């Protein structure tokens, strides 16, 4: 069973870069068909899709965050990462990593989730 | 404001059947599969329904999903106290080129 675990600072100063890592266990991050994703949830709001990276290393980002966002794979450590630059208080949220499995553009849904990590942007 | 519209709240008594709606447009629900997630506060979302009406293994058949045009619904029959949670619909949006979620429906079991 695939398991995901987020890690990273819980407090980031405004204008700095938010960096999180998601360790994947129980499966290879290079397995074909898997879309490794970041989702965030602001307090009291619904989830917001941030973006994903898939087995080839290709990425797809939320257009509203694209200019500040980098998602990358580290196959040697079986993990993927999120970097969001120039953060403001509006980026305060619980950040989740998640995994989806898709074949020929048809997806099974986000069946794998980390437990989530709260990141607060404050000076 | 979410691209997908859900009622903010729903309620029912144990044993009842409740339905949660999710309204979208031709660029999202109308042209793509719908997924439903259950989230107990303080925990990660859990996949409940995929591809409109499919249940992952381990999800009780009390939960069912349907889609018609640009709307979708989640039905919960035989309501139980442990069903009290927030429910979110999600789908791909062709115009935004990304996944979108509904604003969520808080289900209360009276």
């Amino acid at each position: 069973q695939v398991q995901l675990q987020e890690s990273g600072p819980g407090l980031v100063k405004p204008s700095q870069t938010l960096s999180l890592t998601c360790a994947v266990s129980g499966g290879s991050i290079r397995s074909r068909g898997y879309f490794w994703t970041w989702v965030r949830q602001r307090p009291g709001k619904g989830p917001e899709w941030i973006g994903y990276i898939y087995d080839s290393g290709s990425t797809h980002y939320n257009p509203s965050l694209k200019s500040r966002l980098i998602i990358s794979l580290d196959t040697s450590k079986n993990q993927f990462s999120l970097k969001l630059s120039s953060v403001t208080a509006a980026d305060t949220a619980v950040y989740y990593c998640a995994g989806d499995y898709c074949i020929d553009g048809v997806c099974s849904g986000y069946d794998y989730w980390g437990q989530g990590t709260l990141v607060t942007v404050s000076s | 404001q979410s691209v997908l519209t859900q009622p903010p709240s729903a309620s029912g008594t144990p044993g009842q059947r409740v339905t949660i709606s999710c309204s979208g447009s031709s660029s999202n629900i109308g042209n793509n599969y719908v997924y439903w997630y259950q989230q107990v506060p303080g925990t990660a979302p859990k996949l409940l329904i995929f591809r409109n009406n499919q249940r992952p293994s381990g999800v009780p058949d009390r939960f069912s999903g349907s889609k018609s045009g640009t709307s979708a619904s989640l039905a919960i029959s035989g309501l139980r106290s442990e069903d009290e949670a927030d429910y979110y619909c999600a789908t791909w949006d062709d115009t935004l080129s990304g996944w979108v979620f509904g604003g969520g429906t808080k289900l209360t079991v009276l």
Side-chain angles (χ1 to χ4, degrees), chain A residues 41 60 63 96 107-108 110, chain B residues 35 37 39 43 51 88 96-97:
Chain A
Q41 192 168 23
H60 192 75
Y96 295 97
C107 298
S108 300
Y110 289 107
Chain B
Y35 301 74
Y37 296 88
Q39 187 178 33
T43 69
R51 298 180 204 162
Y88 297 95
L96 298 176
S97 190

Side-chain angles (χ1 to χ4, degrees), chain B residues 3-106:
Chain B
V3 171
L4 305 179
T5 301
Q6 297 180 236
S9 63
S11 64
T13 56
Q16 267 191 332
R17 181 177 188 272
V18 297
T19 301
I20 297 172
S21 63
C22 176
S23 177
S25 68
S26 58
S27 69
N28 43 64
I29 291 178
N31 200 38
N32 296 289
Y33 287 115
V34 176
Y35 301 74
W36 288 92
Y37 296 88
Q38 176 193 60
Q39 187 178 33
V40 174
T43 69
K46 171 190 172 184
L47 181 65
L48 212 55
I49 297 288
F50 66 100
R51 298 180 204 162
N52 300 338
N53 55 20
Q54 303 298 301
R55 283 186 308 278
S57 60
V59 174
D61 59 6
R62 301 186 297 106
F63 295 90
S64 62
S66 63
K67 173 185 140 176
S68 178
T70 59
S71 294
S73 293
L74 172 71
I76 310 172
S77 59
L79 200 61
R80 304 176 68 162
S81 58
E82 58 258 40
D83 299 333
E84 194 162 280
D86 297 317
Y87 292 84
Y88 297 95
C89 57
T91 188
W92 182 266
D93 189 290
D94 297 328
T95 300
L96 298 176
S97 190
W99 286 92
V100 291
F101 289 84
T105 298
K106 183 177 181 59

Side-chain angles (χ1 to χ4, degrees), chain A residues 15-19 65-70 82-88 91:
Chain A
S15 80
Q16 294 192 340
T17 296
L18 182 162
S19 296
L65 299 170
K66 186 175 182 178
S67 63
R68 303 191 287 132
L69 183 61
I70 297 175
L82 162 76
K83 289 188 187 302
L84 183 66
S85 62
S86 305
V87 296
T88 69
D91 294 309

